[in-house]
Amino acid sequence: MTAAPEQGHHAAHTWQEARQRAFEVAAPIPASPVPLRAALGRTLSSDVLALQDMPHYASSAMDGWAVNGSGPWILSEPGQRLAPYQASPIVTGGLIPPGAKAVLRSESGVITTDDDGLPVLALGGAAKPGEPRNGQHIRKAAEEAAEGEVLIKAGVVLNPAHLALAALAGLDEVEVLGKPLVRFLLTGSEVVDQGMPGPGQVRDTFGPQLGGVVELLGGIAGEQVRVGDSYEDWLAALQDVEPDVPQEAAGLADVDAEPPADVVITTGGTGRSGTDHFRKAIAELGGTLLIDGIAMRPGHPAVLAELPDGRFVLGLPGNPLAAMMALFTVGGPLLAALGHGSMPDTGEVPSGAMIDADPGRTRLMPFKLVYGLASPAQHAGPGMLRGLANADGVMVVPPHGVQLGELVQAFALPWGKPLPVPKPPEEKPRKAPARGQRKGPQGPVDWSALDA
């Protein structure tokens, strides 16, 4: 059921309600296999097992010769079975030939001749007494793991060494928890991608930042497509039909190689003027509006919808700061829920300023920490980014305002440090009694003598 239009600046959902709604409407994406090259940072959903012994054959740990028995040794061709007193050249990692009992290091042997002038291998150089011992410098099969042994347990966030171990185990892909793929539809005929904008033009601020922020929020940044401002362009883009815009001109990647998105993020078009097409396009596609405006500033025109095919569409306002606040408010919880995560944390910071009431509306204010107090950042208008770029976090100012020094709800920026934990008020130390002053009773007092 479509939410009712907002009246004035009062939207259907408060800031807290919008966050909770975005988190609750999404179910975690099921686990699936992904290629090793795409698994870095993903959460393993099932154990990685050794598909065979590791290593699956006995190999040499040194460059030198595989030998059978004690020297001197008659030289044999590599790879052939060695009879007693025979040796053959071998390199590090080389397959130990049948009959070999040890490996003699290259620095411990010398090629010489026997009494008949035939070449033989003898101890020499850096050889130590008794070298080589039986089994010396041979890496045995299954030395690292036996077939079927657990190498990486489910629940681990995969690092590069995990991926190398999985490859060593013979795997080409691993099973990981689902993670939402996000596609971006960037609108605005006045937007330019490079160079200095002329009068009536603006630089693209979304292209350089949205993908990175989505990755920090737990999503996978997919393709970016720039679409026109007409309703037909909007409809085609949301239908996942390639618009009639040369992608080469926009510097975009080939879309054919990318799987369907779980979330589509649009920019602009969420207002209620005749040139804003978000709601009309969603309705024509049979979608449902889940959040239709939020009682907050900036970012109140944010919209979250779901299409019949299961894709979520997050409509961000066209102003840069407003869009980021909407992305933190709705996008963060949505991506967390889809990616098996928890609701993004909030904390508290002491306000460094008195902030007046704004009835019916939550205000999101980037702040700088100054002497432990959260001071609202300058240059924090809906179309500005300077304040956010230098901020330590965002204050969530309630409609009734905040007093100087009062603790106010806040959240850290995805790319920033965690919020500091407010220190509890210190208890005043008790004064020690003056010299000669009698101390009060310590512990329970026996009043029974008064009854005597």
Side-chain angles (χ1 to χ4, degrees), residues 11 35 50 84 114 132 140 146-147 182 200 250 253-254 269 289 300 338 348 351 363 392 398 415 446-447:
D114 61 9
K140 297 178 181 179
E147 180 181 350
V182 181
D254 181 15
L289 296 183
H300 72 89
L338 290 169
E348 289 184 323
S351 177
R363 280 162 293 169
D392 295 316
W415 55 82
D446 182 7
W447 299 102

Side-chain angles (χ1 to χ4, degrees), residues 200-255:
Q201 296 180 323
V202 294
R203 270 297 297 266
D204 172 28
T205 60
F206 294 123
Q209 71 168 336
L210 279 183
V213 177
V214 160
E215 295 272 355
L216 292 172
L217 292 175
I220 301 172
E223 57 150 351
Q224 295 184 2
V225 176
R226 187 165 296 286
V227 299
D229 291 331
S230 73
Y231 174 69
E232 291 71 25
D233 291 332
W234 269 86
L235 193 61
L238 288 174
Q239 284 176 317
D240 214 10
V241 175
E242 189 172 350
D244 296 329
V245 178
Q247 291 207 356
E248 295 78 13
L252 301 171
D254 181 15
V255 300

Side-chain angles (χ1 to χ4, degrees), residues 21 36 61 63 73 76 92 132 135 146 151 164 196 198 217 219 234 243 249 309 320 335 337 414 444:
R21 174 80 167 143
L36 293 182
D63 291 339
W73 298 272
S76 173
T92 301
L151 301 177
M196 295 293 292
L217 292 175
W234 269 86
D309 61 10
L335 295 176

Side-chain angles (χ1 to χ4, degrees), residues 145-425:
E147 180 181 350
E149 189 173 340
V150 175
L151 301 177
I152 313 171
K153 289 186 175 294
V156 167
V157 177
L158 294 167
N159 63 34
H162 290 135
L163 303 184
L165 178 59
L168 191 62
L171 280 77
D172 299 318
E173 55 188 21
V174 288
E175 190 95 3
V176 296
L177 295 183
K179 196 172 185 180
L181 174 64
V182 181
R183 183 178 184 232
F184 304 91
L185 302 182
L186 310 181
T187 66
S189 57
E190 77 283 7
V191 177
V192 294
D193 296 319
Q194 55 187 345
M196 295 293 292
Q201 296 180 323
V202 294
R203 270 297 297 266
D204 172 28
T205 60
F206 294 123
Q209 71 168 336
L210 279 183
V213 177
V214 160
E215 295 272 355
L216 292 172
L217 292 175
I220 301 172
E223 57 150 351
Q224 295 184 2
V225 176
R226 187 165 296 286
V227 299
D229 291 331
S230 73
Y231 174 69
E232 291 71 25
D233 291 332
W234 269 86
L235 193 61
L238 288 174
Q239 284 176 317
D240 214 10
V241 175
E242 189 172 350
D244 296 329
V245 178
Q247 291 207 356
E248 295 78 13
L252 301 171
D254 181 15
V255 300
D256 294 334
E258 190 171 280
D262 302 293
V263 178
V264 178
I265 291 181
T266 68
T267 60
T270 60
R272 298 185 180 276
S273 72
T275 59
D276 295 320
H277 308 301
F278 184 98
R279 294 171 181 80
K280 182 180 177 183
I282 293 294
E284 182 159 338
L285 294 174
T288 303
L289 296 183
L290 304 172
I291 297 173
D292 189 7
I294 307 169
M296 72 179 195
R297 187 178 66 172
H300 72 89
V303 184
L304 178 64
E306 186 176 8
L307 296 178
D309 61 10
R311 284 180 297 155
F312 290 98
V313 186
L314 172 56
L316 302 180
N319 280 320
L321 184 61
M324 294 305 292
M325 296 301 107
L327 181 57
F328 297 153
T329 299
V330 179
L334 177 70
L335 295 176
L338 290 169
H340 300 256
S342 55
M343 172 71 83
D345 291 331
T346 63
E348 289 184 323
V349 291
S351 177
M354 186 182 78
I355 303 173
D356 292 334
D358 188 0
R361 186 155 51 184
T362 297
R363 280 162 293 169
L364 302 184
M365 294 185 172
F367 68 84
K368 286 286 292 181
L369 285 172
V370 181
Y371 299 113
L373 297 176
S375 178
Q378 298 181 351
H379 309 292
M384 300 180 182
L385 287 174
R386 187 174 171 184
L388 181 64
N390 297 308
D392 295 316
V394 177
M395 285 192 292
V396 184
V397 180
H400 56 74
V402 174
Q403 298 299 312
L404 175 64
E406 181 183 352
L407 288 178
V408 59
Q409 190 175 11
F411 58 86
L413 295 169
W415 55 82
K417 297 179 181 178
L419 295 179
V421 179
K423 295 181 180 178

Side-chain angles (χ1 to χ4, degrees), residues 35-135:
L36 293 182
R37 66 179 180 277
L40 182 63
R42 301 291 294 270
T43 301
L44 194 65
S45 63
S46 57
D47 295 344
V48 168
L49 309 179
L51 300 183
Q52 59 183 357
D53 291 344
M54 296 173 55
H56 58 284
Y57 62 91
S59 63
S60 175
M62 295 284 179
D63 291 339
W65 296 268
V67 299
N68 184 346
S70 57
W73 298 272
I74 300 170
L75 291 174
S76 173
E77 290 296 323
Q80 294 183 356
R81 173 176 287 277
L82 298 181
Y85 310 111
Q86 282 189 326
S88 62
I90 197 168
V91 296
T92 301
L95 177 66
I96 297 296
K101 306 300 183 184
V103 170
L104 179 69
R105 299 177 300 162
S106 56
E107 57 266 36
S108 298
V110 293
I111 301 296
T112 182
T113 56
D114 61 9
D115 295 340
D116 297 325
L118 298 175
V120 294
L121 172 65
L123 293 177
K128 298 177 181 178
E131 190 177 352
R133 301 184 308 276
N134 195 33

